[in-house]
Amino acid sequence: MPIIIACIVAVLYCIDNLIAPNIIKGSSFMWVAFVGWTISSSLSFNDKIKLFIGNIIGFISAVGMIYFGKIFDASVLGISIAGVLGVFIFNGLVVYFDNFKKIWLNSLSGIFMGIFLTFSGLGVGLAPNSWANAGILIGTILLYNLLGLICATLSNYLYNKWKKPENFKKFKEIDVKNEK
């Protein structure tokens, strides 16, 4: 199994090296795929779709928090009142999304993943300060999250296939033959 995971990661590395320089020269977003892989590794296929949708909701929420915080300049002890209100309102709404189970908007992990990836600037300082930058940011988040979801699905599938008792029986028979 470690060799299989290493192969999946090697392919992901190659894909990142082909894609990332076209987004921002000298960059790598492989870590974003690893985040998606890690968060989604134990999820069902439907929950992975919810996670992906949650990234979009999280991105929109993060942009809302950023721009709500700029509505007015009043502050207390250097802390923006509009910023506090924005964070309060958007996070309250995000947590309320857990009630939308029927329309697949209830992946809090996916939503918060979208929020933190947006606030992180993807490690290259990318901010949604223009339509073009917002498009690049959400596109990169979704593309690399999709790669992470594919890696998680593939590794889970191969792990479960590898773990089947009949496969262990075959290897045990091989080991017994090698010992003789």
Side-chain angles (χ1 to χ4, degrees):
M1 194 61 206
I3 292 171
I4 292 170
I5 296 297
C7 289
I8 294 170
V9 173
V11 169
L12 178 61
Y13 176 80
C14 293
I15 291 169
D16 179 55
N17 275 273
L18 293 172
I19 296 172
N22 294 308
I23 299 170
I24 296 178
K25 190 173 176 118
S27 63
S28 170
F29 302 108
M30 193 168 158
W31 68 274
V32 177
F34 278 123
V35 170
W37 187 345
T38 303
I39 292 174
S40 70
S41 64
S42 64
L43 299 179
S44 69
F45 183 76
N46 288 341
D47 286 337
K48 287 176 181 160
I49 293 170
K50 290 178 184 182
L51 182 95
F52 190 82
I53 294 168
N55 279 201
I56 298 167
I57 296 166
F59 172 80
I60 294 167
S61 299
V63 171
M65 284 184 248
I66 290 166
Y67 284 100
F68 196 93
K70 296 178 181 181
I71 289 177
F72 56 89
D73 292 333
S75 65
V76 175
L77 300 173
I79 301 170
S80 166
I81 294 171
V84 171
L85 289 173
V87 168
F88 177 82
I89 291 168
F90 280 95
N91 280 285
L93 290 172
V94 161
V95 174
Y96 188 72
F97 272 88
D98 192 43
N99 297 319
F100 296 131
K101 291 175 177 42
K102 291 184 182 178
I103 52 176
W104 285 19
L105 300 177
N106 65 324
S107 174
L108 290 178
S109 298
I111 294 170
F112 281 109
M113 180 182 168
I115 291 171
F116 91 74
L117 288 172
T118 303
F119 281 128
S120 77
L122 298 179
V124 294
L126 193 57
N129 53 10
S130 70
W131 286 105
N133 284 349
I136 292 168
L137 186 57
I138 186 65
T140 305
I141 289 170
L142 294 178
L143 174 62
Y144 277 86
N145 186 38
L146 180 62
L147 291 171
L149 295 175
I150 290 169
C151 290
T153 302
L154 188 59
S155 62
N156 287 343
Y157 171 77
L158 293 172
Y159 176 75
N160 288 329
K161 187 171 182 163
W162 178 271
K163 202 169 99 170
K164 288 183 180 175
E166 61 268 15
N167 290 337
F168 284 116
K169 184 179 176 186
K170 289 176 191 174
F171 285 113
K172 191 172 186 178
E173 290 170 3
I174 292 170
D175 285 344
V176 170
K177 289 178 187 175
N178 288 338
E179 287 178 8
K180 292 179 182 179

